[in-house]
Amino acid sequence: MMPQLGETVTEGTVTRWMKSVGDSVERDEPLFEVSTDKVDSEVPSPAAGVLTEILVPEGETVEVGVKLAVIGDSAGATAAAPAAEPPADTAAAPQEAAPPAPPPPAAAAPPPPAPPAPAQAPPEAPAGNGNEPLVVSPVVRRLLSENGIEASQVSGTGPGGRITRDDALKVVDAQHADGPAPAPALAPAAAPAAPAPGPSVPAYSPPPVSLTSFRQAGEQVVPFSNMRRRTAEHMVRSKATSPHAFIAKEVDFEVVERVRKAWGERFKAEEGFSLTYLPFIARATVEALRDFPYLNASVVDDSLVVHGEVNLGIAVDLSHEGLIVPVIHRAEEITLRGIARRIRDLADRARNRQLNADDIAGGTFSITNDGPFGTYFTVPIINQPQVAILATDGIARRPVVVTQADGSESIAIHSTGVLGTSWDHRAVDGAYVSSFLARMAELLSSRDWAAEL
């Protein structure tokens, strides 16, 4: 089956089969590679035997739980292969469990005589108008609906004529390239509403963008990669789900800077990598979340689920091709040095495509780190289903006003930077987030960081 590589992942693309039909495979031996918006991962075989069928070819995107292949007994593989084809079709379409004869009449007769088939056919095939209903997944159905396309207009290339996500995207892209869409699916819905909806459509419908005009102007058209498409869908869904709000605060990192200078060479000699600002920020985040637990939470239905563990996600850039957020699990139990090691390890494995499903699952709060690029102000999008995400920006030497022991003030040069938090306004209000950032600033400017090293 297509595995669920992450809590919010609903589908995956089979990028490579490592075995062919007829090959022997051992349990836990890498069987295929799958790509999602979260991770590219090798998936091990769940059993030992012979690969008797591959139901989903390379390059096809299917939903989590879809049957991908069949592994049979080495002894009965050859005998079972010819007889295995009909059951495979039945497994792919459980609503047609009856013998071959009943399905055609069931599809041809809309009245009550047909028992199970009519009841289950509509959800599987909203636009079925042939001998057999068109099989459309919820993801594809939503994509077609959003673009005013009927399933009957799309030629399915999947098993049994199933419409894949790529099939739908080709029609959507072609529709945009051809200019204004005829939108036949919208006509019936608008008809009952009479003349009023007609004139109002041009008022809010943006003019279509023609790819042809870009090419004529010498522009380069770069199709979205699978990761970019998935990231776009996840980000748009997040903005539609959470009422985003943002607060930022300037933080004095002078105490952290002094520890980095004092311990930098020794740390690099012992660990093999440099001591950056990020582990200090991550450690302060974990401590601040103890005092402000409603930011380490998820919105579920009409409730806020406050998590007992801090599973800290750290966004990692994959050579400008996309982002992935591996997770430091139970970060509240890890020291500053331990967090630095985990960040380094997860980032290295993310860039080398060596993360597994557990490495990206279960995050409760995230940090996006643009600081190394010298940014000043970053407003991130929440990583659903979490309720908040912290952004770090560039830390630089700047003049600041400092208060002396006797209460007098003077100007000094300190390392300062901006920390910002995007949060879900359903979960908390601005005063709560402001207090969280104030606690972060207090920890970073006053904690005895050397003791943790």
Side-chain angles (χ1 to χ4, degrees):
M1 305 292 188
M2 174 62 73
Q4 183 159 19
L5 301 176
E7 295 157 327
T8 59
V9 174
T10 58
E11 59 183 7
T13 301
V14 177
T15 53
R16 182 164 72 101
W17 283 101
M18 299 174 179
K19 297 286 184 178
S20 302
V21 172
D23 288 352
S24 296
V25 59
E26 297 298 323
R27 181 182 177 87
D28 294 330
E29 181 182 5
L31 182 59
F32 65 95
E33 287 181 354
V34 62
S35 174
T36 73
D37 61 335
K38 296 287 187 184
V39 67
D40 292 348
S41 180
E42 290 184 354
V43 179
S45 173
V50 172
L51 187 62
T52 60
E53 288 182 274
I54 291 180
L55 304 176
V56 175
E58 293 179 358
E60 186 165 337
T61 302
V62 296
E63 291 182 322
V64 168
V66 166
K67 190 175 183 180
L68 303 180
V70 178
I71 296 174
D73 251 341
S74 51
T78 20
E85 290 178 3
D89 294 338
T90 325
Q95 73 273 15
E96 298 178 28
Q120 295 179 351
E124 284 289 335
N129 49 5
N131 290 337
E132 292 186 2
L134 294 173
V135 181
V136 184
S137 71
V139 172
V140 172
R141 187 181 301 121
R142 184 175 66 248
L143 182 61
L144 296 178
S145 172
E146 289 172 353
N147 289 276
I149 299 171
E150 291 188 6
S152 57
Q153 295 175 263
V154 185
S155 299
T157 61
R162 187 175 60 78
I163 298 175
T164 68
R165 188 169 177 276
D166 287 340
D167 296 332
L169 288 170
K170 285 179 185 175
V171 176
V172 171
D173 292 342
Q175 174 179 281
H176 290 168
D178 293 341
L186 295 180
S200 67
V201 174
Y204 64 80
S205 295
V209 179
S210 170
L211 293 180
T212 310
S213 64
F214 281 120
R215 292 192 183 99
Q216 288 174 348
E219 300 285 349
Q220 181 186 12
V221 177
V222 182
F224 281 157
S225 65
N226 183 51
M227 179 172 281
R228 282 256 63 87
R229 286 188 190 276
R230 303 280 179 79
T231 301
E233 290 171 0
H234 188 58
M235 294 297 98
V236 170
R237 194 179 305 122
S238 178
K239 294 289 281 188
T241 301
S242 299
H244 280 59
F246 179 79
I247 289 179
K249 181 174 179 60
E250 189 174 46
V251 176
D252 192 329
F253 283 88
E254 188 62 16
V255 169
V256 172
E257 180 64 20
R258 289 171 184 165
V259 172
R260 288 180 67 242
K261 284 183 177 178
W263 282 77
E265 291 184 9
R266 176 177 169 181
F267 183 90
K268 188 168 185 178
E270 292 174 350
E271 301 293 342
F273 57 90
S274 299
L275 181 60
T276 66
Y277 292 101
L278 183 56
F280 295 89
I281 295 171
R283 187 74 182 89
T285 299
V286 173
E287 288 299 310
L289 288 174
R290 292 180 190 270
D291 300 325
F292 298 91
Y294 287 4
L295 292 178
N296 187 51
S298 303
V299 173
V300 178
D301 298 327
D302 289 330
S303 303
L304 187 66
V305 178
V306 181
H307 303 294
E309 300 174 357
V310 178
N311 295 333
L312 192 63
I314 306 289
V316 176
D317 173 63
L318 301 177
S319 303
H320 307 308
E321 294 178 2
L323 285 176
I324 191 167
V325 188
V327 177
I328 302 173
H329 292 90
R330 301 184 69 90
E332 73 276 8
E333 299 177 355
I334 308 173
T335 63
L336 174 62
R337 188 183 287 264
I339 281 185
R341 289 173 181 158
R342 297 285 182 89
I343 291 174
R344 176 74 175 197
D345 172 62
L346 289 171
D348 286 346
R349 289 196 287 124
R351 295 185 180 108
N352 292 316
R353 299 292 198 270
Q354 294 175 342
L355 294 176
N356 57 45
D358 291 337
D359 291 327
I360 60 170
T364 60
F365 186 94
S366 295
I367 296 177
T368 181
N369 181 36
D370 289 328
F373 302 101
T375 55
Y376 181 72
F377 206 77
T378 301
V379 183
I381 297 175
I382 298 168
N383 186 18
Q384 297 293 332
Q386 299 165 23
V387 300
I389 180 171
L390 179 78
T392 73
D393 285 292
I395 297 169
R397 302 294 287 173
R398 298 184 179 94
V400 298
V401 176
V402 295
T403 303
Q404 306 297 338
D406 61 0
S408 62
E409 295 179 338
S410 62
I411 294 178
I413 305 298
H414 283 191
S415 293
T416 66
V418 175
L419 295 180
T421 300
S422 291
W423 86 94
D424 187 334
H425 219 315
R426 297 175 300 173
V428 294
D429 296 319
Y432 194 86
V433 181
S434 299
S435 300
F436 165 74
L437 287 174
R439 177 63 176 147
M440 288 277 299
E442 179 189 1
L443 287 164
L444 288 165
S445 63
S446 63
R447 192 176 179 88
D448 184 2
W449 295 110
E452 287 204 35
L453 289 172

